[in-house]
Amino acid sequence: MTVSKELFLELENNVREIKFEIFKTCGFVEESGHGVPTVTKAYGDESYIFDGKFIKVVIPFDRSSFTNTIQEIDNTTQKTTQEHESTTQKTTKERLIELLKANPNLSRSDLATLLKLSEDGVKYQIKKLKDKGIIKRVGPDKGGYWEVIE
């Protein structure tokens, strides 16, 4: 089914209001966001499929933006490290803390890549920092995040 842009935008507003009320009533949300316009802007109108009484949203799984974020953090870390390298060499502990402050959702695998360590090496560094009370894990292994306490 092909929908004109005008009809799509009209339906989008109605659906957004209805979805928000349903989610609010169920306690899933507290306030309305901007998800539909954001998805439409990023993926186009064709990401929405109207199927009878349902609206399906198809968002391609693309880790490139995540990879770009990791690369930006790494570039920032490398730049900062190079700027301060003449006065002091950053330790693995300091780089790890810096990365977790920049993105508390990084996985052990991501940290290993950024720090150029093995995952076991990252596990060892994290254990040392946790034992010293410098960092702590909030939430489960999947879906949780790191909190820097110091």
Side-chain angles (χ1 to χ4, degrees):
M1 173 178 177
T2 304
V3 178
S4 71
K5 187 166 183 95
E6 293 78 25
L7 178 59
F8 177 81
L9 293 174
E10 183 180 330
L11 289 170
E12 173 188 38
N13 288 331
N14 293 338
V15 168
R16 188 176 340 135
E17 290 171 13
I18 293 168
K19 267 193 340 188
F20 171 70
E21 288 303 320
I22 291 169
F23 288 164
K24 186 174 181 182
T25 302
C26 293
F28 294 134
V29 296
E30 294 176 2
E31 293 191 34
S32 178
H34 304 286
V36 172
T38 302
V39 170
T40 304
K41 183 177 179 182
Y43 299 103
D45 297 346
E46 58 276 358
S47 62
Y48 289 93
I49 301 167
F50 297 93
D51 184 17
K53 295 181 181 180
F54 299 97
I55 299 174
K56 297 178 184 176
V57 181
V58 179
I59 300 174
F61 182 71
D62 179 11
R63 286 185 60 117
S64 64
S65 61
F66 176 73
T67 305
N68 291 341
T69 301
I70 291 175
Q71 187 61 43
E72 288 169 16
I73 291 169
D74 195 34
N75 289 342
T76 301
T77 302
Q78 285 177 0
K79 182 180 174 191
T80 304
T81 301
Q82 289 169 356
E83 289 172 359
H84 298 293
E85 210 166 56
S86 60
T87 58
T88 181
Q89 184 73 18
K90 284 193 181 182
T91 65
T92 301
K93 176 183 98 167
E94 291 170 329
R95 288 195 66 217
L96 179 58
I97 292 169
E98 192 174 85
L99 287 168
L100 292 177
K101 282 181 180 178
N103 185 350
N105 298 312
L106 289 173
S107 69
R108 191 182 309 162
S109 174
D110 296 329
L111 290 167
T113 302
L114 293 170
L115 294 169
K116 297 176 178 60
L117 295 174
S118 67
E119 284 193 42
D120 285 339
V122 171
K123 183 178 180 180
Y124 172 77
Q125 293 293 332
I126 287 173
K127 182 176 180 349
K128 283 177 28 177
L129 292 172
K130 283 170 65 176
D131 290 347
K132 291 180 180 178
I134 296 172
I135 63 171
K136 73 175 185 177
R137 184 73 180 173
V138 178
D141 288 343
K142 290 187 179 187
Y145 62 94
W146 292 103
E147 184 177 306
V148 179
I149 300 167
E150 71 169 353

